[in-house]
Amino acid sequence: MISYLLLSIPTAVKMNGFACLPSFTASDFFFGGLAKPGLTNNSLGSVVTPANVMQIPGLNTLGVSMARIDFAPGGLNPPHTHPRASEILFLLSGQLDVGFITTANVLVTMTICEGQIFTFPKGLVHFQQNNGNVPAVAISGLNSQNPGVQVIAKSLFAATPPVSDNVLARAFQIDTQEVDEIKSKLAA
Ligand SMILES: *[C@@H]1O[C@H](CO)[C@@H](O)[C@H](O)[C@H]1NC(C)=O
């Protein structure tokens, strides 16, 4: 039975949708992409550079990943969730207002400074904003090789196909014209 199973394993075995590496080199466990600042000249003034199983094939099944987050002064990493990971953020430089919202709808928030850590529990909506007048840089650890991310504003107002105006107008207690304005801004 065991030999039958071994023989029947196809060559490109996958686990969690990613290849189990039948052979590998050191580069499958390496990523240099967090060495340099990401570009923050976008509408939010922040950028997340991930270092997960998409960038590092050797992370598959290991249950860890990282990300670098760069913030311009005033920059915002907007409210989002990671469906598969808690996050522990270490602030390398600058100052951030951080927060998450519990399932009881309580905002848990504070200001953190260089060298300090804040934690975002798995699945909860959270955000970080640079409240200083110099750039800020953070490194996050996440307990999944593939944490996933859902950015709340984009999920609701920039989905494909779009969520209907009626759903959003009723949910946010605004009119459909206001819904369309938000949709057009987020589509840009
Ligand atoms: C952001 O800055 C980079 C490098 O300075 C530049 O190449 C890019 O066009 C800029 N992007 C925007 C959206 O301004």
Side-chain angles (χ1 to χ4, degrees):
M1 189 59 182
I2 286 169
S3 62
Y4 168 76
L5 284 174
L6 289 173
L7 286 170
S8 66
I9 291 174
T11 46
V13 177
K14 292 192 171 183
M15 190 170 286
N16 304 325
F18 295 92
C20 291
L21 303 176
S23 66
F24 53 83
T25 66
S27 68
D28 290 312
F29 298 87
F30 170 81
F31 181 56
L34 301 196
K36 282 188 279 182
L39 291 174
T40 58
N41 57 346
N42 53 54
S43 60
L44 292 168
S46 83
V47 66
V48 177
T49 308
N52 58 45
V53 73
M54 311 290 180
Q55 292 78 32
I56 308 171
L59 281 182
N60 197 19
T61 76
L62 299 187
V64 291
S65 62
M66 296 187 97
R68 170 181 177 137
I69 315 163
D70 288 280
F71 301 84
L76 173 70
N77 185 15
H80 63 278
T81 76
H82 304 292
R84 291 178 290 275
S86 294
E87 174 174 351
I88 179 164
L89 179 147
F90 176 68
L91 186 55
L92 284 173
S93 67
Q95 190 167 291
L96 291 180
D97 292 334
V98 298
F100 64 82
I101 297 117
T102 73
T103 54
N105 222 22
V106 174
L107 173 63
V108 178
T109 186
M110 67 184 296
T111 299
I112 63 168
C113 298
E114 181 174 318
Q116 297 180 332
I117 281 173
F118 198 77
T119 308
F120 305 97
K122 180 175 179 173
L124 297 185
V125 175
H126 62 281
F127 59 86
Q128 303 104 23
Q129 183 159 39
N130 181 0
N131 64 13
N133 46 24
V134 293
V137 187
I139 294 288
S140 279
L142 299 119
N143 65 332
S144 167
Q145 67 273 2
N146 186 14
V149 62
Q150 199 162 32
V151 181
I152 306 304
K154 282 207 145 213
S155 289
L156 292 174
F157 290 91
T160 308
V163 179
S164 94
D165 283 10
N166 288 333
V167 168
L168 296 171
R170 181 57 77 89
F172 286 84
Q173 300 284 292
I174 56 178
D175 60 46
T176 54
Q177 204 177 329
E178 290 170 294
V179 170
D180 287 338
E181 277 172 34
I182 299 171
K183 279 183 173 176
S184 68
K185 282 179 188 161
L186 289 182

